[in-house]
Amino acid sequence: MLKRFVHLAFALTGATLGYTLGPALFAMLRQSPLNFGDVPAPHYIGAVLGALLLYLSAIWLSTNVVQWIKWSEERLVKIPAADILFGALGLIFGLIVAFLIEPPLSKLPIPGISSILPFLVSGLLGYLGFRVGYKKRDELLSIFTVGRQGKEQKKKEPRDIEHKILDTSVIIDGRIFDICRTGFLEGTLVIPSFVLEELQHIADSSDVLKRNRGRRGLDILNKIQKELRMEVLIYEGDFDEVSEVDSKLVKLAKVLSGKVVTNDFNLNKVCELQGVKVLNINDLANAVKPVVLPGEEINVQVIKDGKEHGQGVAYLDDGTMIVIEGGREYIGERIDVLVTSVLQTSAGRMIFAKPKLLERAL
């Protein structure tokens, strides 16, 4: 394709030269010893001959010309666009200055110099303009971008909003309100319409316990909307092909690229299997509980017996359950126990211990 363009360019150049110089050339041949005589339509014949001659020469020179064009193209592509732009602007500015001072230079009373000097000045100012624009590109670029940077700072786009999708259990639990109020949860709280429908269904239940839990969830939502400064979004969409609310929550989290906020252990596992990020407030509660290490001594009151024979059960102030081996005989008493192990799960933390009196006896 490039070779054809070169051939065409040579042919057009030859035709132009032949059309311009043809009559003079034929006039010289007519006065020469060859005496060609009068040539009809010398312009057009000259154009045809010029196009033919340069087209034939292009066939011989086209390879070198194409190689030179490709070499120039590779060099130009490697030059940064800013360098070319500001160099060209400097060149244009230099030529404009040369054009403005050309009339007085051409009127200088110096024979020969007055005709050459404008060309020399144009070349010099054009070169200086290009060099100045190229060398000062960074400073010029900073001048052009100062105003735009100020506008960009004013119109700075907010960071990506992260959606926190609340499930039914975490709303009924109520601790989500305190967590949001303290500022530990950021982004937009998303309350799906199908979660609201489930809450309303629970609140209308004939079972007193379920009805109270549903009403508590609706009260928590009202508090979140009225008292928190966080943005709350009621998502009106639904997934008709899915019947389970938990599955709808997982699909919604994928659609919004958000995180599911829950305290449901099973939903927590489903989200992990589906590759959906999940925030379990039980994990948060466990993380802020006092750290109890194996070998540590604590004083507790044994409240009831455990599932296994001889076990007693006690609780810390934060609700953490302590299973005491051989603690059944101390039910109703406060005793010192030694922690033997700690089991941490998303469902909560469980501490295993044994009475310190038993340790001393051993």
Side-chain angles (χ1 to χ4, degrees), residues 47-99:
V48 172
L49 291 176
L52 182 61
L53 287 174
L54 281 190
Y55 180 79
L56 293 175
S57 63
I59 296 175
W60 177 59
L61 295 172
S62 61
T63 303
N64 294 329
V65 173
V66 168
Q67 289 179 352
W68 179 81
I69 292 175
K70 289 184 177 180
W71 177 82
S72 302
E73 180 184 355
E74 290 176 358
R75 294 293 299 272
L76 288 174
V77 168
K78 292 179 180 178
I79 300 175
D83 296 353
I84 298 176
L85 176 62
F86 286 102
L89 290 176
L91 174 63
I92 294 171
F93 184 77
L95 293 177
I96 291 174
V97 174
F99 176 77

Side-chain angles (χ1 to χ4, degrees), residues 103-111 113-114 117:
L105 291 177
S106 60
K107 294 179 182 179
L108 290 175
I110 304 175
I113 299 296
S114 59
L117 191 59

Side-chain angles (χ1 to χ4, degrees), residues 271-283:
C271 290
E272 291 178 356
L273 290 174
Q274 295 284 340
V276 174
K277 294 182 179 179
V278 60
L279 300 176
N280 193 322
I281 63 171
N282 284 337
D283 290 338

Side-chain angles (χ1 to χ4, degrees), residues 26-222:
F26 290 132
M28 290 175 59
L29 291 175
R30 188 171 58 248
Q31 295 174 3
S32 68
L34 297 176
N35 191 13
F36 273 12
D38 292 334
V39 178
H43 290 285
Y44 297 106
I45 294 177
V48 172
L49 291 176
L52 182 61
L53 287 174
L54 281 190
Y55 180 79
L56 293 175
S57 63
I59 296 175
W60 177 59
L61 295 172
S62 61
T63 303
N64 294 329
V65 173
V66 168
Q67 289 179 352
W68 179 81
I69 292 175
K70 289 184 177 180
W71 177 82
S72 302
E73 180 184 355
E74 290 176 358
R75 294 293 299 272
L76 288 174
V77 168
K78 292 179 180 178
I79 300 175
D83 296 353
I84 298 176
L85 176 62
F86 286 102
L89 290 176
L91 174 63
I92 294 171
F93 184 77
L95 293 177
I96 291 174
V97 174
F99 176 77
L100 294 175
I101 64 175
E102 181 183 355
L105 291 177
S106 60
K107 294 179 182 179
L108 290 175
I110 304 175
I113 299 296
S114 59
S115 58
I116 298 175
L117 191 59
F119 295 99
L120 295 177
V121 172
S122 297
L124 178 62
L125 291 178
Y127 172 77
L128 290 176
F130 177 82
R131 295 298 296 176
V132 170
Y134 177 78
K135 292 291 185 181
K136 297 291 185 179
R137 60 189 182 279
D138 294 333
E139 297 180 19
L140 293 173
L141 187 63
S142 64
I143 292 173
F144 286 121
T145 56
V146 165
R148 188 176 64 185
Q149 287 177 352
K151 293 180 180 179
E152 287 178 353
Q153 288 179 355
K154 292 180 180 179
K155 299 181 180 180
K156 190 175 181 182
E157 294 183 358
R159 60 182 179 180
D160 294 338
I161 299 175
E162 193 173 53
H163 295 91
K164 305 297 192 306
I165 305 166
L166 306 185
D167 82 328
T168 310
S169 62
V170 82
I171 296 173
I172 294 174
D173 180 276
R175 288 179 291 176
I176 187 65
F177 174 78
D178 298 319
I179 294 172
C180 294
R181 185 174 57 183
T182 53
F184 281 98
L185 204 61
E186 296 180 343
T188 300
L189 293 181
V190 179
I191 303 169
S193 59
F194 49 84
V195 169
L196 284 175
E197 290 177 3
E198 187 180 31
L199 277 174
Q200 185 176 0
H201 180 71
I202 295 173
D204 293 337
S205 174
S206 58
D207 188 303
V208 177
L209 181 59
K210 284 187 176 181
R211 186 166 61 246
N212 291 337
R213 293 176 71 246
R215 291 176 179 176
R216 171 180 167 80
L218 294 175
D219 292 338
I220 293 296
L221 287 182
N222 287 329

